[in-house]
Amino acid sequence: MKRALVTGITGQDGSYLAELLLEKEYEVYGLMRRKSALDYGNVTHIKDYIRFIDGDLTDPASLVMAIKKSKPDEVYNLAAQSFVGTSWTQPLLTSQVNALGVANLLEAIRQAQPDARFYQASTSEMFGRVQEVPQSETTPFYPRSPYGVAKLYGHWLTKNYRESYDMFACSGILFNHESERRGHEFVTRKITAAVAAIAMGKQEMLELGNMDAQRDWGHAEDYVRAMWLMLQQETPDDYVIASGETHSVRDFVSMAFSTAGITLHFEGEGVNEIGIDADSGKIRLKINPQFFRPAEVELLLGCPKKAEQSLGWKRIIDFDTLVERMVQKDMQNIK
């Protein structure tokens, strides 16, 4: 039986990955930070099948102990300060977790379990001000947030440990992936939760920032499968995981409202844009300048060809289904 240690196991990706590993009969260990109130988050429904270990990416000693205790064949580093917006208000914390935390974990593996296979959760935000479209494994990076900068450190350090110490270390450059388990601070979940509330008479209006930002969206359930596949290969490498399609925030909003049975007409531009309910005439959407980023990433579009050809990976859940599932889940939550 294989053993896997997953950091960030209570989050969106961690929960889907834990389910996948349990299905494949792994012994699953999850690193958890101590909190005043015990919270298993997205793995509450499978917590009895996971062995939890106290630890934190900013505490090197705890990581060494976690590696020694779990003796993992595979380590998946999904823990992070994961919200781009917060990285501007907490840049030092973001760096300590997303950058130095990777160094702490890699060094713990090198010292305590050097044969373990390592997966680092990199991100499309490292491309930032994109240098080419679509973005592939060879596209130059140009991060546009403290989050992207910190993630880039972790990405390059993973490559450095692979080349310096002959460790089996991979990075997955994952483009935006959402799900019904996404945190409410992320724009996609903010949209679907608000749309569900509006459709059910619990809320009047949704406020957003840049509606023109374009993203390559997929479902987390598909993307964690790619993580696992990377660690099953003969040689370690880095892969872009993406849908190969791009949609604007406006597209996401339209699809979400349509799923809830509401047709929006958009009027105005920029901060003056509004979305009007075609049936009631009410304004359901307004633009709020405070939700704009200090430095915007306008377009992200990934090229997943390498992953498709080398890993045999293919996404299953398309954009429309992703949005529909999220809206329907939020409507169920309200009911």
Side-chain angles (χ1 to χ4, degrees), residues 1-2 4 21-22 24-28 74 228 232:
M1 179 183 288
K2 283 188 175 181
L21 295 174
L22 288 170
K24 296 184 179 296
E25 299 185 341
Y26 277 64
E27 193 171 303
V28 179
E74 299 170 4
W228 178 79
Q232 312 313 309

Side-chain angles (χ1 to χ4, degrees), residues 2 17 29-30 32 36 39 47 57 90 124 126 130 132 176 205 224 253 257 271 277 284 287 293 299 303 318 335:
K2 283 188 175 181
L17 179 61
Y29 291 80
M32 279 187 67
S36 56
D39 181 10
K47 64 181 177 63
L57 288 185
Q90 295 184 291
S124 58
M126 299 187 307
V130 298
E132 63 181 9
N176 294 66
M205 189 174 58
V224 299
V253 170
F257 272 103
V271 295
D277 188 327
R284 298 297 193 185
I287 303 305
R293 294 181 179 181
L299 169 65
C303 175
D318 62 21
K335 289 179 182 177

Side-chain angles (χ1 to χ4, degrees), residues 172-219:
I173 307 173
L174 271 58
F175 279 64
N176 294 66
H177 48 290
E178 317 298 324
S179 76
E180 306 89 310
R181 301 176 186 176
R182 195 50 140 162
H184 285 266
E185 69 272 24
F186 292 89
V187 67
T188 51
R189 190 66 189 284
K190 176 181 178 180
I191 291 168
T192 60
V195 167
I198 289 169
M200 302 187 74
K202 303 293 185 180
Q203 185 172 324
E204 283 293 317
M205 189 174 58
L206 166 65
E207 292 189 353
L208 293 173
N210 184 8
M211 293 281 285
D212 295 316
Q214 297 183 64
R215 294 292 184 269
D216 184 325
W217 276 299
H219 196 290

Side-chain angles (χ1 to χ4, degrees), residues 69-205:
K69 185 173 183 178
S70 60
K71 296 181 175 61
D73 298 291
E74 299 170 4
V75 178
Y76 296 86
N77 183 33
L78 310 185
Q81 189 297 96
S82 59
F83 189 46
V84 176
T86 298
S87 74
W88 274 286
T89 57
Q90 295 184 291
L92 296 182
L93 172 66
T94 302
S95 298
Q96 288 164 359
V97 176
N98 296 5
L100 296 181
V102 182
N104 293 336
L105 185 53
L106 280 167
E107 192 58 23
I109 295 169
R110 188 178 74 85
Q111 292 179 24
Q113 190 85 356
D115 292 334
R117 297 189 169 201
F118 175 73
Y119 171 83
Q120 166 60 16
S122 291
T123 170
S124 58
E125 287 287 333
M126 299 187 307
F127 292 120
R129 181 179 285 173
V130 298
Q131 303 300 292
E132 63 181 9
V133 179
Q135 295 89 55
S136 71
E137 292 81 3
T138 60
T139 301
F141 298 115
Y142 195 140
R144 295 268 283 169
S145 66
Y147 171 84
V149 172
K151 278 290 191 176
L152 186 54
Y153 176 97
H155 176 80
W156 277 112
L157 195 68
T158 299
K159 185 186 292 284
N160 187 259
Y161 268 64
R162 180 169 73 220
E163 296 174 352
S164 300
Y165 301 115
D166 197 29
M167 291 173 62
F168 195 107
C170 299
S171 285
I173 307 173
L174 271 58
F175 279 64
N176 294 66
H177 48 290
E178 317 298 324
S179 76
E180 306 89 310
R181 301 176 186 176
R182 195 50 140 162
H184 285 266
E185 69 272 24
F186 292 89
V187 67
T188 51
R189 190 66 189 284
K190 176 181 178 180
I191 291 168
T192 60
V195 167
I198 289 169
M200 302 187 74
K202 303 293 185 180
Q203 185 172 324
E204 283 293 317
M205 189 174 58

